[in-house]
Amino acid sequence: MNIYIGAENIISPLGSTAEENFGALSKNSSGIKKTEAAGFDKKSIFFSRFAENTNDFSFDALLKNCLKNVRSKISPDIFSSEKTLLILSTTKGDIKSENVNPIGKSVSELQNSFELKHAPIVVSNACASGVIAINTAANFIRAGVYETIIVAGCDVISDFVTYGFECLFAISDKPCAPFDKNRTGITLGEGCAAVVLSSHKTIFNVEPMRFIEGTSGNDANHISGPSRTGEGLYRTVKKTLELAGITEKDIDFISAHGTATVFNDDMESVAFDRLNMQHIPLNSLKGYYGHTLGAAGIIETAICLQSMRNNTLIKSMGFEEEGTVKKINIISENKKLSLETVLKTSSGFGGVNASLLLKKS
Amino acid sequence: MNHLSSYCHISTKEIVTDKGALLFDNTEGLEVNDFLKTVYKKLAIDYPKFYKMDSLSKAAFLGVELLKKENAALAEYADDEIALLFANSNASEDTDKKFVNSYAEEHAPSPSLFVYTLPSILMGELAIRNKWYGESLFVILQKFDAAFFADYCNMILLRNAKACICGWIEITEGKTEAFIFLAEKNGNENNTPLTKQTIEKIYKTIMKQSRPSKV
């Protein structure tokens, strides 16, 4: 069975459609800016965040607007079909200090406003949530449980998450610099994105790509530190390639995770080296979007689809000088390249890693 | 045909398994964290990392230890053949509240609490304990959904795993519930078939059993 993926949309500080976002990346514009007095001790912090004092960018509004756009890109009757499911990917939903359990309400509202037949499922797998949500959707379609699944990812910046990463000393004091020698940590970001997976090619208004395979794997090493050997990432990519029946030679581009912490980026370089993928062009989009947590995997997959449509590799923003344990091929400027097969990877707390393969249809 | 081989249920009142035995009866009315620590001691497990886990991870850890005790065959699987599927309706609410308290009341955001403010961390703990490198998924559902567990398990057992440990696990103020079961591809013919109906039936039986309080 072929599984198609398309109708992608992104709402981020860089734009409110996938095309606007890709346009900003093509100009190497970053959404990262300094916010004064945002930290626990009122120090200034770099974020990729929306303009404040507007409700247009609340967790619920982002999802609603993003899904409205997606709905206009596929056949009109799909959202309310018995054979359609909505999967949400988020780490903390609309968390506020005074309300730590806001996800259920958002989910019910979405089900009502889009007249969905089934209650949406929320995937919560730390920073690998987005890729795992897409893989879960593909598995459900392959097993015949659903025909079309809309996968949306959203996370917003909150005191909760900011103070959390601050107390782990994980936040960079400058815009994050994935895979760069002088990287010092993450920059948090916010945003929302969605893609549609379906066994029916004809539901898409614009030619979709194909979803080939996707798997996840655990490091079995540490709950908040990446494995030194990249074991989980190595295993998931290997498994995904095996199921797809292809080798690393077939991959044109890797959209990596690249959070810009010292240990994460080293871990990824080790895993890609073990996979003989050190020569394949690779980027991280965190230098444009910051780390959007549960939205990251969906935003980055949507940009993979845009890169494939435009046959364009996007520069890995923030990378100046090599400085990972193993040398990898980081994209240092935008360039044109025919992209047939693309690998997307994510890694997160709890030692979870995930990968998926996309191909032109 | 995939099978539901074994299960256990943990509440603050007691722990029961499919063998029917009341393994631990919390007659003293201990609060959840203390009850789970008592169970850990009685099981005579030597794994000091247990003490730093949040209650969600502790409950999942103990549930899986009990399943392992009653299913020696679990040790026979390769290290990436066991998938994990856990779900609840409240994510990590209990730990989230404690983390909010650490910065809002105590003015010292706690890193050891923050790392547990993702419910999927419990699967990381299980992976580390057992050296399992397989698939894992955590989902938030509005309520227990037997169809979701059956659909996902039957799907993941097609190609990605040979066994799947599933759990519905909720710990919030005043409520503790962990229903953990083992689904296997090559289960015994005498086992329960893995369907929405059988999962639903077991869940309902457990809920009924655990309702009346002990005199």
Coordinates of all heavy atoms in Angstrom, one line a residue, chain A residues 166-233:
Chain A
E166 N 15.7 26.2 32.0 CA 16.7 27.1 32.6 C 17.4 26.3 33.8 O 18.6 26.4 34.0 CB 16.0 28.3 33.2 CG 16.1 29.5 32.3 CD 15.6 30.8 33.1 OE1 14.5 30.8 33.5 OE2 16.5 31.7 33.2
C167 N 16.5 25.6 34.6 CA 17.1 24.9 35.8 C 18.0 23.7 35.4 O 18.8 23.3 36.2 CB 16.1 24.6 36.8 SG 15.0 23.3 36.5
L168 N 17.8 23.3 34.1 CA 18.7 22.2 33.6 C 20.0 22.8 33.0 O 20.8 22.1 32.5 CB 18.0 21.4 32.6 CG 16.8 20.5 33.0 CD1 16.2 19.8 31.8 CD2 17.3 19.5 34.0
F169 N 20.1 24.1 33.0 CA 21.2 24.9 32.4 C 21.3 24.5 30.9 O 22.4 24.3 30.4 CB 22.5 24.6 33.1 CG 22.5 25.0 34.6 CD1 22.3 24.1 35.6 CD2 22.5 26.4 34.9 CE1 22.2 24.5 36.9 CE2 22.5 26.8 36.2 CZ 22.3 25.9 37.2
A170 N 20.2 24.4 30.3 CA 20.2 23.9 28.9 C 19.9 25.0 27.9 O 20.0 24.8 26.7 CB 19.1 22.8 28.7
I171 N 19.6 26.3 28.4 CA 19.3 27.4 27.4 C 20.5 28.2 27.1 O 21.3 28.6 27.9 CB 18.2 28.3 28.1 CG1 16.9 27.4 28.2 CG2 17.9 29.5 27.2 CD1 15.7 28.2 28.7
S172 N 20.7 28.4 25.8 CA 21.8 29.1 25.2 C 21.7 30.6 25.5 O 20.6 31.1 25.5 CB 21.9 28.9 23.7 OG 22.9 29.7 23.2
D173 N 22.8 31.3 25.8 CA 22.7 32.7 26.1 C 22.9 33.5 24.8 O 23.0 34.8 24.8 CB 23.8 33.1 27.1 CG 25.2 32.7 26.7 OD1 25.3 32.2 25.6 OD2 26.1 32.9 27.5
K174 N 22.9 32.9 23.7 CA 22.8 33.5 22.4 C 21.9 32.7 21.5 O 21.5 31.6 21.9 CB 24.2 33.6 21.8 CG 24.9 32.3 21.7 CD 26.3 32.3 21.1 CE 26.7 30.8 20.9 NZ 27.8 30.5 20.1
P175 N 21.5 33.1 20.3 CA 20.6 32.2 19.5 C 21.3 30.9 19.3 O 22.6 30.9 19.0 CB 20.5 33.0 18.1 CG 20.7 34.5 18.5 CD 21.7 34.4 19.7
C176 N 20.6 29.8 19.4 CA 21.2 28.5 19.4 C 22.0 28.2 18.1 O 21.6 28.8 17.0 CB 20.1 27.4 19.6 SG 19.0 27.2 18.2
A177 N 23.0 27.4 18.1 CA 23.9 27.2 17.0 C 24.1 25.7 16.8 O 25.2 25.2 17.2 CB 25.2 27.9 17.2
P178 N 23.1 25.0 16.2 CA 23.2 23.5 16.1 C 24.5 23.1 15.4 O 24.8 23.7 14.3 CB 22.0 23.2 15.3 CG 21.0 24.3 15.6 CD 21.8 25.5 15.7
F179 N 25.1 22.1 15.9 CA 26.3 21.4 15.3 C 27.6 22.3 15.2 O 28.6 21.9 14.7 CB 26.0 20.9 13.9 CG 24.9 19.9 13.9 CD1 23.7 20.1 13.3 CD2 25.0 18.6 14.6 CE1 22.6 19.2 13.3 CE2 24.0 17.7 14.6 CZ 22.8 18.0 14.0
D180 N 27.5 23.6 15.7 CA 28.6 24.5 15.7 C 29.5 24.1 16.9 O 29.1 23.7 18.0 CB 28.1 25.9 15.8 CG 29.3 26.9 15.7 OD1 29.8 27.0 14.5 OD2 29.7 27.5 16.6
K181 N 30.8 24.4 16.7 CA 31.8 24.2 17.7 C 31.5 24.9 19.0 O 31.7 24.4 20.1 CB 33.2 24.6 17.2 CG 34.3 24.3 18.1 CD 35.6 24.8 17.4 CE 36.8 24.6 18.4 NZ 38.0 25.3 17.9
N182 N 30.9 26.1 18.9 CA 30.7 27.0 20.1 C 29.2 26.9 20.6 O 28.8 27.8 21.2 CB 31.1 28.4 19.8 CG 32.6 28.5 19.5 OD1 33.4 27.9 20.2 ND2 32.9 29.2 18.4
R183 N 28.5 25.9 20.2 CA 27.1 25.7 20.7 C 27.1 25.6 22.2 O 28.0 24.9 22.8 CB 26.5 24.5 20.0 CG 27.1 23.2 20.4 CD 26.5 22.1 19.5 NE 27.0 20.8 20.0 CZ 28.2 20.3 19.6 NH1 29.0 21.0 18.9 NH2 28.6 19.1 20.1
T184 N 26.1 26.2 22.8 CA 26.0 26.1 24.3 C 24.7 25.7 24.8 O 24.4 25.7 26.0 CB 26.4 27.5 24.9 OG1 25.5 28.5 24.4 CG2 27.8 27.9 24.6
G185 N 23.7 25.4 23.9 CA 22.4 25.0 24.4 C 21.3 25.3 23.5 O 21.5 25.9 22.4
I186 N 20.1 25.1 23.9 CA 18.9 25.3 23.1 C 18.4 26.7 23.1 O 18.7 27.5 24.1 CB 17.7 24.3 23.5 CG1 17.1 24.7 24.8 CG2 18.2 22.9 23.5 CD1 15.8 24.0 25.1
T187 N 17.6 27.1 22.1 CA 16.7 28.3 22.2 C 15.3 27.7 22.0 O 15.0 26.9 21.2 CB 17.0 29.2 21.0 OG1 18.3 29.7 21.1 CG2 16.0 30.3 20.9
L188 N 14.4 28.1 23.0 CA 13.0 27.6 22.9 C 12.3 28.4 21.8 O 12.5 29.6 21.6 CB 12.3 27.8 24.2 CG 12.7 26.8 25.3 CD1 12.2 27.3 26.7 CD2 12.3 25.4 25.0
G189 N 11.3 27.7 21.2 CA 10.5 28.3 20.1 C 9.1 27.9 20.3 O 8.7 27.0 21.1
E190 N 8.2 28.6 19.6 CA 6.8 28.1 19.6 C 6.2 28.1 18.1 O 6.7 28.8 17.3 CB 5.9 29.0 20.5 CG 5.9 30.5 20.1 CD 5.2 31.3 21.2 OE1 4.7 30.8 22.2 OE2 5.2 32.6 21.1
G191 N 5.3 27.3 17.9 CA 4.7 27.2 16.6 C 3.8 26.0 16.5 O 3.5 25.2 17.4
C192 N 3.2 25.9 15.3 CA 2.2 24.9 15.0 C 2.3 24.4 13.6 O 2.6 25.2 12.7 CB 0.8 25.5 15.3 SG -0.6 24.3 15.1
A193 N 2.2 23.1 13.3 CA 2.2 22.7 11.9 C 1.4 21.4 11.8 O 1.0 20.8 12.8 CB 3.7 22.3 11.6
A194 N 1.0 21.1 10.6 CA 0.2 19.9 10.3 C 0.5 19.3 9.0 O 0.9 20.0 8.1 CB -1.3 20.3 10.4
V195 N 0.4 18.0 8.9 CA 0.5 17.3 7.6 C -0.7 16.3 7.5 O -1.2 16.0 8.6 CB 1.8 16.5 7.5 CG1 3.0 17.5 7.4 CG2 2.0 15.5 8.6
V196 N -1.0 15.9 6.3 CA -2.0 14.9 6.2 C -1.4 13.6 5.6 O -0.6 13.7 4.6 CB -3.1 15.4 5.2 CG1 -4.2 14.3 5.0 CG2 -3.8 16.6 5.9
L197 N -1.7 12.4 6.1 CA -1.3 11.2 5.6 C -2.5 10.4 5.1 O -3.6 10.4 5.8 CB -0.6 10.3 6.6 CG 0.9 10.7 6.9 CD1 0.9 11.7 8.0 CD2 1.8 9.5 7.2
S198 N -2.5 9.8 3.9 CA -3.6 9.1 3.4 C -3.2 8.0 2.5 O -2.2 8.1 1.8 CB -4.5 10.1 2.7 OG -5.7 9.5 2.2
S199 N -4.1 7.0 2.4 CA -3.9 5.9 1.4 C -4.5 6.4 0.0 O -4.3 5.7 -1.0 CB -4.6 4.6 1.8 OG -5.9 4.9 2.2
H200 N -5.1 7.5 0.0 CA -5.7 8.0 -1.2 C -5.0 9.3 -1.7 O -5.0 10.3 -1.1 CB -7.2 8.4 -1.0 CG -8.0 7.3 -0.5 ND1 -8.3 6.2 -1.2 CD2 -8.6 7.1 0.7 CE1 -9.1 5.4 -0.5 NE2 -9.3 5.9 0.7
K201 N -4.3 9.1 -2.9 CA -3.6 10.2 -3.5 C -4.5 11.3 -3.9 O -4.1 12.5 -3.9 CB -2.8 9.7 -4.7 CG -1.7 10.6 -5.1 CD -0.9 10.0 -6.3 CE 0.3 10.9 -6.7 NZ 1.0 10.3 -7.8
T202 N -5.7 11.0 -4.3 CA -6.6 11.9 -5.0 C -7.2 13.0 -4.0 O -7.8 13.9 -4.5 CB -7.8 11.2 -5.6 OG1 -8.3 10.3 -4.7 CG2 -7.3 10.4 -6.8
I203 N -7.1 12.7 -2.7 CA -7.7 13.7 -1.8 C -6.9 15.0 -1.7 O -7.3 16.1 -1.2 CB -7.9 13.2 -0.3 CG1 -6.5 13.0 0.3 CG2 -8.7 11.9 -0.3 CD1 -6.6 12.9 1.9
F204 N -5.6 15.0 -2.2 CA -4.7 16.1 -2.1 C -4.9 17.1 -3.3 O -4.9 16.6 -4.4 CB -3.2 15.7 -2.0 CG -2.9 14.9 -0.8 CD1 -3.0 13.5 -0.8 CD2 -2.5 15.5 0.4 CE1 -2.6 12.7 0.3 CE2 -2.2 14.7 1.5 CZ -2.3 13.3 1.5
N205 N -5.1 18.4 -3.0 CA -5.2 19.3 -4.1 C -3.9 19.5 -4.8 O -3.9 19.8 -6.0 CB -5.7 20.7 -3.6 CG -7.1 20.6 -2.9 OD1 -7.7 19.6 -3.1 ND2 -7.5 21.7 -2.3
V206 N -2.8 19.4 -4.1 CA -1.5 19.5 -4.7 C -0.8 18.2 -4.6 O -0.9 17.5 -3.5 CB -0.7 20.7 -4.0 CG1 0.8 20.7 -4.5 CG2 -1.3 22.0 -4.2
E207 N 0.0 17.8 -5.6 CA 0.7 16.5 -5.6 C 1.4 16.2 -4.2 O 2.3 17.0 -3.8 CB 1.8 16.6 -6.7 CG 2.7 15.4 -6.7 CD 2.2 14.3 -7.7 OE1 1.1 14.5 -8.3 OE2 2.9 13.3 -7.9
P208 N 1.1 15.1 -3.5 CA 1.7 14.8 -2.3 C 3.0 14.1 -2.5 O 3.3 13.7 -3.6 CB 0.7 13.9 -1.6 CG 0.1 13.2 -2.7 CD 0.0 14.1 -3.9
M209 N 3.8 13.9 -1.4 CA 5.0 13.0 -1.5 C 4.6 11.6 -0.9 O 3.4 11.5 -0.4 CB 6.1 13.6 -0.6 CG 6.6 14.9 -1.0 SD 7.4 14.9 -2.6 CE 7.0 16.6 -3.2
R210 N 5.5 10.7 -0.9 CA 5.1 9.4 -0.3 C 5.8 9.2 1.0 O 7.0 9.6 1.2 CB 5.6 8.2 -1.2 CG 4.5 7.8 -2.2 CD 5.0 6.7 -3.1 NE 5.3 5.5 -2.4 CZ 6.1 4.6 -2.8 NH1 6.8 4.7 -4.0 NH2 6.3 3.5 -2.1
F211 N 5.1 8.7 2.0 CA 5.7 8.3 3.3 C 6.1 6.9 3.1 O 5.3 6.0 2.8 CB 4.7 8.4 4.4 CG 5.2 7.9 5.7 CD1 5.7 8.8 6.7 CD2 5.1 6.5 6.0 CE1 6.2 8.3 7.9 CE2 5.6 6.0 7.2 CZ 6.2 6.9 8.1
I212 N 7.4 6.6 3.3 CA 7.9 5.2 3.0 C 7.8 4.4 4.3 O 7.1 3.3 4.4 CB 9.3 5.2 2.5 CG1 9.3 6.1 1.2 CG2 9.8 3.8 2.1 CD1 8.5 5.7 0.1
E213 N 8.6 4.7 5.3 CA 8.6 4.0 6.6 C 9.0 4.9 7.7 O 9.6 6.0 7.5 CB 9.7 2.9 6.5 CG 9.4 1.7 5.6 CD 8.2 0.8 6.1 OE1 7.8 0.9 7.3 OE2 7.8 0.0 5.3
G214 N 8.7 4.5 8.9 CA 9.2 5.2 10.1 C 9.1 4.3 11.3 O 8.3 3.4 11.5
T215 N 10.1 4.5 12.2 CA 10.2 3.6 13.4 C 10.7 4.5 14.6 O 11.2 5.6 14.4 CB 11.2 2.5 13.3 OG1 12.5 3.0 13.1 CG2 10.8 1.5 12.1
S216 N 10.7 3.9 15.8 CA 11.3 4.6 16.9 C 12.2 3.6 17.7 O 12.1 2.4 17.5 CB 10.3 5.2 17.9 OG 9.6 4.1 18.6
G217 N 13.1 4.1 18.5 CA 14.0 3.2 19.2 C 14.5 4.0 20.5 O 14.6 5.2 20.4
N218 N 14.8 3.2 21.5 CA 15.2 3.9 22.8 C 16.7 3.7 23.0 O 17.3 2.6 22.6 CB 14.4 3.3 23.9 CG 14.5 4.3 25.1 OD1 15.5 4.4 25.8 ND2 13.3 4.9 25.4
D219 N 17.4 4.7 23.6 CA 18.8 4.5 24.0 C 19.0 3.6 25.1 O 20.1 3.0 25.3 CB 19.3 5.9 24.5 CG 19.5 6.9 23.4 OD1 19.8 6.5 22.2 OD2 19.4 8.1 23.7
A220 N 18.0 3.4 26.0 CA 18.1 2.6 27.2 C 19.4 3.0 28.0 O 20.1 2.1 28.5 CB 18.2 1.1 26.8
N221 N 19.5 4.3 28.1 CA 20.8 4.8 28.7 C 20.6 5.8 29.8 O 21.1 5.6 30.9 CB 21.6 5.4 27.6 CG 22.9 6.0 28.1 OD1 23.8 5.3 28.6 ND2 23.0 7.4 28.0
H222 N 19.8 6.8 29.6 CA 19.6 7.9 30.6 C 18.4 8.6 30.3 O 18.1 8.9 29.1 CB 20.9 8.8 30.6 CG 20.9 9.7 31.7 ND1 20.2 10.9 31.9 CD2 21.7 9.6 32.9 CE1 20.5 11.5 33.0 NE2 21.4 10.7 33.7
I223 N 17.6 9.1 31.3 CA 16.3 9.8 31.0 C 16.5 11.2 30.5 O 15.7 11.7 29.8 CB 15.3 9.7 32.2 CG1 15.9 10.4 33.5 CG2 14.8 8.4 32.5 CD1 14.8 10.7 34.5
S224 N 17.6 11.9 30.9 CA 17.7 13.3 30.4 C 19.0 13.5 29.6 O 19.2 14.7 29.2 CB 17.5 14.3 31.5 OG 18.4 14.0 32.5
G225 N 19.8 12.5 29.5 CA 21.1 12.7 28.7 C 21.1 11.8 27.5 O 20.8 10.6 27.7
P226 N 21.6 12.3 26.4 CA 21.7 11.4 25.2 C 22.8 10.4 25.4 O 23.8 10.6 26.1 CB 22.0 12.4 24.0 CG 22.2 13.7 24.6 CD 22.0 13.7 26.1
S227 N 22.6 9.3 24.7 CA 23.6 8.2 24.7 C 24.9 8.7 24.0 O 24.8 9.3 23.0 CB 23.0 7.0 24.0 OG 24.0 6.3 23.3
R228 N 26.0 8.3 24.6 CA 27.3 8.7 23.9 C 27.5 7.9 22.6 O 28.3 8.4 21.7 CB 28.5 8.3 24.8 CG 28.5 9.0 26.2 CD 29.3 10.3 26.1 NE 29.2 11.0 27.3 CZ 29.9 12.1 27.6 NH1 30.8 12.6 26.7 NH2 29.7 12.7 28.8
T229 N 26.9 6.8 22.5 CA 27.1 6.0 21.2 C 26.0 6.2 20.2 O 26.0 5.7 19.1 CB 27.1 4.5 21.6 OG1 25.8 4.1 22.2 CG2 28.2 4.1 22.6
G230 N 25.0 7.0 20.6 CA 23.8 7.3 19.6 C 23.0 6.0 19.4 O 22.4 5.8 18.3
E231 N 23.0 5.1 20.3 CA 22.4 3.8 20.1 C 21.0 3.8 19.6 O 20.6 3.2 18.6 CB 22.5 2.9 21.4 CG 22.1 1.5 21.2 CD 23.1 0.7 20.3 OE1 24.3 1.2 20.2 OE2 22.7 -0.3 19.7
G232 N 20.1 4.6 20.3 CA 18.7 4.6 19.9 C 18.5 5.2 18.5 O 17.7 4.7 17.7
L233 N 19.2 6.3 18.2 CA 19.1 6.9 16.9 C 19.6 5.9 15.8 O 19.0 5.8 14.7 CB 19.9 8.2 16.9 CG 19.8 9.0 15.6 CD1 18.4 9.3 15.1 CD2 20.6 10.3 15.7

